Amino acid sequence: MQIQLNNTGKRFNKEWIFRNCNYTFNAGVSYAITGPNGSGKSTLLQTIAGAINTSEGSVSVNSEQLTVNSEQSTVNRIPLTEEGSLLTVNGQRLTVNDSVNGKRSTVNSSVNNELLYQHLSIAAPYLELVEEMTAKEALKFHAAFKPLLENISIEEILTIVGLKAAADKQIRYYSSGMKQRMKLAQAIFSDVPILLLDEPCTNLDAVGYALYHQLIKDYCTNKLVIVCSNDPQEYDFCMEKIDIMAYKPTKI
């Protein structure tokens, strides 16, 4: 798969987080998004994922436009139904081929019929686990809507990430490092072509860092991988580096 940023910008109120961002992410290549804390790395990653609408420009997947300018219209995707992909635009419910106030929606139907979330997985500090579940239950639940890699069982996954002994323990009793291993397991072992990682080694010790690099080496060589971090140990394997500071508007 290929993801393209086309003059993409995002702002909150009057502050531009990034602007005039043009970049192409290709399958089989690993990328690092770097920058100081609070510079907008996570915002850019969520924009790439389609979780946040752009303020200007667009995000395209395989040359099909995914996002809608949030300052032109307010668009929220609703899960796919048998009748087609449903959206709410400016508070009105419609399909991708309908119109609002006499104007045709600018969302590309072919993209929304193949919702991007079906093709990506993500691990990030701000994404929570269902802590009432055990590790086995969580992976089984996760696999119900995002298939795991073939020829590897849930028990094998938990063994690989060092959680075999805690497989039947509720996640709420896990340490912070164990929870991070669980997040990496869900993301890396999902059978999807795009892997997004935001500060992937949060709460991991030296052994956890080594595990992270081994997982990337063993299971992610053919994926499009994007890592957000300001820690070189988290992205030292990446082939290309994007400094978000290069997309900050010049202040006059």
Side-chain angles (χ1 to χ4, degrees), residues 5 18 21 23 25 30-36 39-49 196-200 225-231 234-235 238 240-245 247:
L5 302 181
F18 55 87
C21 188
Y23 210 89
F25 301 90
S30 53
Y31 302 85
I33 299 175
T34 66
S39 58
K41 300 186 300 295
S42 297
T43 300
L44 177 56
L45 190 72
Q46 292 179 64
T47 302
I48 292 170
L196 306 179
L197 300 169
D198 195 347
E199 298 181 354
V225 180
I226 305 177
V227 182
C228 273
S229 178
N230 55 16
D231 180 357
E234 292 183 317
Y235 62 81
C238 290
E240 298 187 26
K241 187 170 74 171
I242 302 104
D243 183 0
I244 194 171
M245 300 306 293
Y247 300 102

Side-chain angles (χ1 to χ4, degrees), residues 10-28:
K10 181 63 183 179
R11 69 178 177 184
F12 295 109
N13 297 319
K14 295 182 179 181
E15 180 184 0
W16 285 98
I17 309 303
F18 55 87
R19 200 175 190 186
N20 299 322
C21 188
N22 290 283
Y23 210 89
T24 300
F25 301 90
N26 293 301

Side-chain angles (χ1 to χ4, degrees), residues 20-245:
N20 299 322
C21 188
N22 290 283
Y23 210 89
T24 300
F25 301 90
N26 293 301
V29 181
S30 53
Y31 302 85
I33 299 175
T34 66
N37 290 339
S39 58
K41 300 186 300 295
S42 297
T43 300
L44 177 56
L45 190 72
Q46 292 179 64
T47 302
I48 292 170
I52 294 178
N53 284 330
T54 61
S55 298
E56 66 179 13
S58 64
V59 178
S60 300
V61 179
N62 293 342
S63 300
E64 300 286 357
Q65 185 173 316
L66 171 70
T67 61
V68 171
N69 188 319
S70 61
E71 295 182 5
Q72 294 177 349
S73 61
T74 303
V75 177
N76 296 304
R77 275 180 287 277
I78 299 174
L80 198 65
T81 69
E82 294 181 358
E83 297 178 353
S85 182
L86 295 178
L87 313 171
T88 57
V89 179
N90 296 333
Q92 296 188 46
R93 189 179 178 95
L94 72 160
T95 67
V96 293
N97 293 319
D98 286 336
S99 59
V100 179
N101 297 329
K103 296 182 179 180
R104 193 174 185 83
S105 170
T106 57
V107 181
N108 188 291
S109 62
S110 62
V111 174
N112 284 282
N113 286 336
E114 298 175 358
L115 294 178
L116 183 58
Y117 75 80
Q118 297 175 344
H119 303 286
L120 66 80
S121 59
I122 183 170
Y126 41 82
L127 296 180
E128 299 294 336
L129 298 166
V130 182
E131 297 198 346
E132 289 74 21
M133 291 184 176
T134 66
K136 282 184 180 179
E137 291 170 341
L139 284 178
K140 185 176 181 181
F141 174 72
H142 181 79
F145 59 90
K146 191 158 295 184
L148 300 174
L149 295 174
E150 295 182 353
N151 303 319
I152 185 167
S153 67
I154 288 176
E155 289 76 13
E156 289 172 319
I157 291 173
L158 293 173
T159 298
I160 291 170
V161 299
L163 295 176
K164 179 180 179 180
D168 295 311
K169 181 187 294 186
Q170 285 185 319
I171 293 172
R172 62 179 170 174
Y173 297 116
Y174 281 16
S175 68
S176 58
M178 293 168 70
K179 289 178 181 178
Q180 185 61 23
R181 287 172 180 247
M182 188 66 195
K183 290 182 181 181
L184 290 176
Q186 287 186 340
I188 291 175
F189 287 97
S190 292
D191 190 10
V192 293
I194 302 171
L195 174 64
L196 306 179
L197 300 169
D198 195 347
E199 298 181 354
C201 294
T202 299
N203 299 318
L204 294 183
D205 55 15
V207 175
Y209 268 79
L211 170 65
Y212 162 70
H213 282 90
Q214 194 63 48
L215 292 173
I216 294 293
K217 179 181 178 182
D218 292 344
Y219 301 101
C220 302
T221 54
N222 296 320
K223 293 186 178 185
L224 193 172
V225 180
I226 305 177
V227 182
C228 273
S229 178
N230 55 16
D231 180 357
Q233 293 185 74
E234 292 183 317
Y235 62 81
D236 55 6
F237 61 90
C238 290
M239 305 171 190
E240 298 187 26
K241 187 170 74 171
I242 302 104
D243 183 0
I244 194 171
M245 300 306 293

